[in-house]
């Protein structure tokens, strides 16, 4: 079930919210409603996914209880290994088997396992909790608290990657506390902003990006086509993923819960380090706290520090998908971060405008690698951008041009969506009418198009 679907907005969400607030005074009842609703939400995609989610959640809760009773430091390590094994089997088994078969020249027969939606996200949540336990955190939670933490449907499938100490303590708060109406109104506005990003911008931009990248798999693009495809995808992935995050954070706020910020105008970054402080922020801090710092972080020499950041980003790239292009994309950003560290350490600076332009071009080149099915396609698109296959022309419709121009302005100017919804806009009945009208229009727009899933559902 998509957040931007008619079924979710007109059916699932109103029913779950009504039940949640009807039982708001009974903590166990309202949490049970959210957990059951989250399992139903997850099972809507494929009921076969539910046993894995439920089983892994129960297993991790039992491991945490076991650790609480024994305090043996190897117990969380066992839990982390279990989670990584599940992720490895479902997401990477065919990838590594296929790579090994290619290197050995053997025939490859894939298992073709179905990748459960959101497995990368909810496995990372469990891993961070278990590592925190091993590091000395003494929070061993009750069953309902832990289940709601893991399965909470707004962030279940594509994040933000929420840590236990950011949300579980909020479960005890009365949803009908004095700020309830402000939470509902601000959450609704942020949700509508997210739907707008996804439906009006990302899905419109996809109408050009997807066919052009599809064409690139069989024929060279012209320079105009390559730049149009890259610009469209650069904005598409941003509005698709940040739109999901806005919807997730807005939905959580409607339930009286605050999730961490996940995007902060990343295309305004003036360095690669600045970009990763703004893009998918909850993943960035996970990689920092659970990979980069344990590897030694910046507490060592320049070469070791560079190796640490490159290895961290290589693994971060692999997390995005079972394809060597994702690993190379992560390595590219790791190398960029390493150079950025050295550059900053030498005290060198570029004019702000130049730094911004170079950063954006670097990021766009990386998105070509990220979006392409293989290295050959990515290389050919990059060559096309350099004019190797002629200038060419491309006929663009007004809807796409409006999305491209409007999306560029939104990405580079003005307040972020969360700043607007959670800080600047004040709840007002006069704002409810245009917000409701916009959502109604978007629902009609959704009904007239084929469903377009979120990009990060594929990872």
């Amino acid at each position: 079930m998509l957040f931007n679907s008619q079924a979710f907005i007109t059916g699932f969400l109103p029913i779950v919210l009504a039940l949640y607030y009807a039982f708001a005074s009974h903590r166990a009842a309202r949490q049970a409603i959210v957990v059951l609703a989250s399992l139903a939400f997850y099972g809507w995609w494929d009921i076969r996914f539910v046993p894995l989610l439920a089983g892994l959640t129960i297993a991790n809760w039992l491991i945490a209880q076991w650790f609480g009773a024994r305090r043996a430091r190897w117990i969380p390590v066992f839990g982390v290994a279990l989670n990584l094994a599940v992720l490895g089997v479902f997401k990477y088994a065919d990838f590594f088997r296929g790579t090994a078969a290619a290197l050995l020249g053997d025939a490859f027969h894939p298992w073709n396992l179905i990748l459960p939606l959101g497995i990368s996200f909810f496995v990372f949540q469990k891993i961070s909790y278990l590592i925190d336990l091993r590091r000395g955190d003494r929070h061993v939670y009750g069953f309902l608290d832990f289940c709601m933490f893991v399965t909470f449907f707004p962030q279940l499938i594509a994040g933000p990657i929420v840590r236990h100490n950011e949300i579980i303590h909020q479960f005890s708060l009365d949803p009908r506390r004095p700020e309830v109406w402000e939470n509902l109104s601000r959450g609704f506005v942020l949700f509508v902003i997210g739907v707008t990003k996804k439906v009006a911008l990302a899905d419109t931009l996809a109408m050009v990006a997807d066919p052009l990248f599809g064409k690139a798999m069989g024929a060279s693009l012209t320079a105009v086509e390559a730049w149009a495809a890259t610009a469209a995808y650069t904005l598409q992935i941003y509005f698709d993923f940040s739109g999901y995050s806005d919807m997730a954070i807005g939905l959580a706020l409607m339930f009286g819960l605050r999730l961490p910020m996940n995007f902060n105008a990343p295309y305004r970054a003036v360095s690669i380090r600045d970009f990763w402080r703004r893009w998918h922020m909850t993943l960035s801090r996970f990689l920092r706290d659970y990979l980069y710092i344990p590897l030694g972080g910046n507490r060592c020499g320049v070469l070791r520090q560079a190796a640490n950041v490159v290895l961290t980003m290589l693994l971060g790239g692999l997390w995005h998908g079972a394809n060597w292009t994702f690993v190379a994309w992560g390595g590219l950003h790791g190398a960029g971060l390493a150079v950025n560290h050295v550059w900053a350490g030498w005290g060198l600076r570029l004019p702000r405008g130049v730094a911004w332009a170079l950063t954006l071009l670097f990021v766009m080149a990386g998105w070509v690698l990220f979006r392409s099915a293989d290295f050959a396609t990515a290389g050919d698109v990059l060559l096309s951008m350099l004019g190797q296959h002629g200038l060419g022309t491309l006929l663009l419709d007004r809807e796409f041009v409006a999305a491209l121009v409007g999306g560029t302005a939104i990405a580079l100017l003005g307040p972020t969506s969360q700043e607007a919804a959670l800080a600047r806009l004040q709840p007002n009945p006069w704002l409810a009418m245009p917000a409701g009208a916009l959502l109604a229009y978007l629902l009609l727009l959704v009904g007239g198009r084929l469903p377009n899933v979120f990009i990060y559902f594929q990872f």
Side-chain angles (χ1 to χ4, degrees):
M1 190 184 305
L2 294 169
F3 287 165
N4 54 303
S5 68
Q6 295 173 335
F8 179 84
I9 295 173
T10 63
F12 180 87
L13 180 60
I15 292 172
V16 176
L17 268 177
L19 289 172
Y20 181 76
Y21 279 98
F23 290 90
S25 58
H26 303 280
R27 177 178 176 179
R30 69 175 186 258
Q31 288 188 247
I33 288 168
V34 171
V35 171
L36 292 174
S38 298
L39 293 175
F41 173 83
Y42 193 67
W44 183 276
W45 297 97
D46 192 327
I47 195 67
R48 292 173 295 176
F49 296 158
V50 174
L52 175 66
L53 172 64
L56 199 58
T57 299
I58 293 170
N60 277 268
W61 179 75
L62 290 173
I63 289 169
Q65 300 299 309
W66 186 17
F67 175 76
R70 292 280 304 276
R71 294 293 168 182
R73 288 170 57 83
W74 63 268
I75 295 176
V77 176
F78 166 75
V80 170
L82 172 65
N83 284 285
L84 290 176
V86 171
L87 183 63
V89 168
F90 281 96
K91 189 168 182 177
Y92 300 110
D94 277 346
F95 171 62
F96 287 120
R97 289 176 62 246
T99 300
L103 291 174
L104 297 173
D106 294 339
F108 174 55
H109 304 286
W111 292 340
N112 292 321
L113 295 176
I114 299 174
L115 180 65
L117 285 169
I119 188 170
S120 298
F121 288 90
F122 61 71
V123 162
F124 267 27
Q125 274 190 293
K126 297 178 179 72
I127 287 175
S128 67
Y129 173 58
L130 293 173
I131 293 176
D132 285 350
L133 287 180
R134 191 176 188 276
R135 289 176 174 176
D137 194 307
R138 305 186 69 85
H139 289 94
V140 178
Y141 301 103
F143 184 66
L144 265 180
D145 279 348
F146 188 77
C147 286
M148 186 169 169
F149 159 60
V150 173
T151 66
F152 188 42
F153 71 87
Q155 51 84 56
L156 172 60
I157 297 177
I161 301 173
V162 185
R163 298 184 185 179
H164 63 101
N165 54 9
E166 292 176 319
I167 191 169
I168 293 183
H169 69 277
Q170 298 183 54
F171 296 162
S172 62
L173 300 176
D174 185 352
R176 294 183 295 193
R177 55 193 184 273
E179 62 267 30
V180 57
W181 293 111
E182 183 173 353
N183 287 340
L184 284 166
S185 59
R186 291 190 184 278
F188 175 74
V189 168
L190 186 55
F191 176 78
V192 172
I193 291 173
V195 176
T196 305
K197 283 183 175 182
K198 169 62 176 170
V199 175
L201 295 175
D203 290 355
T204 301
L205 293 161
M207 294 178 182
V208 169
D210 291 348
L212 286 176
F213 272 101
K215 177 183 176 181
M217 294 176 64
S220 296
L221 302 180
T222 64
V224 170
E225 288 176 327
W227 277 100
T230 303
Y233 187 71
T234 296
L235 291 173
Q236 180 200 350
I237 192 171
Y238 170 57
F239 287 119
D240 190 279
F241 195 16
S242 70
Y244 182 97
S245 295
D246 289 342
M247 286 184 255
I249 295 168
L251 287 168
L253 191 57
M254 293 168 74
F255 285 86
L257 304 172
R258 288 189 174 267
L259 299 184
M261 191 175 181
N262 211 26
F263 287 87
N264 183 21
Y267 293 154
R268 304 177 199 179
V270 293
S271 69
I272 301 304
R273 185 191 301 184
D274 189 26
F275 174 78
W276 280 102
R277 289 171 177 165
R278 295 166 174 265
W279 177 274
H280 202 348
M281 295 155 65
T282 56
L283 173 65
S284 296
R285 64 180 188 172
F286 180 96
L287 295 174
R288 179 197 66 201
D289 294 347
Y290 298 106
L291 278 176
Y292 178 66
I293 292 177
L295 285 171
N298 54 8
R299 305 185 306 274
C300 42
V302 174
L303 291 179
R304 174 68 183 279
Q305 181 182 352
N308 291 340
V309 73
V310 171
L311 178 58
T312 297
M313 294 306 295
L314 284 169
L315 293 172
L318 182 62
W319 174 85
H320 279 82
N323 193 316
W324 285 111
T325 55
F326 292 123
V327 179
W329 172 80
L332 177 68
H333 275 268
L337 287 168
V339 171
N340 200 165
H341 280 296
V342 174
W343 183 271
W346 287 349
L348 301 174
R349 302 178 70 89
L350 289 172
R352 187 173 183 85
V354 174
W356 167 78
L358 290 176
T359 300
L360 186 58
L361 287 172
F362 180 92
V363 170
M364 291 176 71
W367 287 138
V368 171
L369 185 59
F370 189 91
R371 176 61 178 80
S372 299
D374 50 50
F375 290 112
T377 302
D380 200 53
V381 172
L382 291 170
L383 287 175
S384 295
M385 294 173 71
L386 295 173
Q388 292 296 305
H389 303 298
L391 181 62
T393 59
L394 182 64
L395 182 63
L396 301 173
D397 61 36
R398 286 179 294 180
E399 186 180 11
F400 171 79
V401 173
L404 186 67
V405 174
T408 301
I410 292 169
L412 299 180
L413 305 170
T416 63
S417 53
Q418 292 177 46
E419 182 184 356
L422 305 182
R424 294 197 179 189
L425 291 177
Q426 297 301 317
N428 189 306
W430 293 105
L431 289 176
M433 296 177 63
L438 176 58
L439 184 59
Y441 166 74
L442 294 169
L443 284 172
L444 293 174
L445 193 61
V446 167
R449 291 177 172 177
L450 292 175
N452 199 347
V453 299
F454 292 90
I455 290 174
Y456 266 70
F457 282 11
Q458 304 165 26
F459 311 135

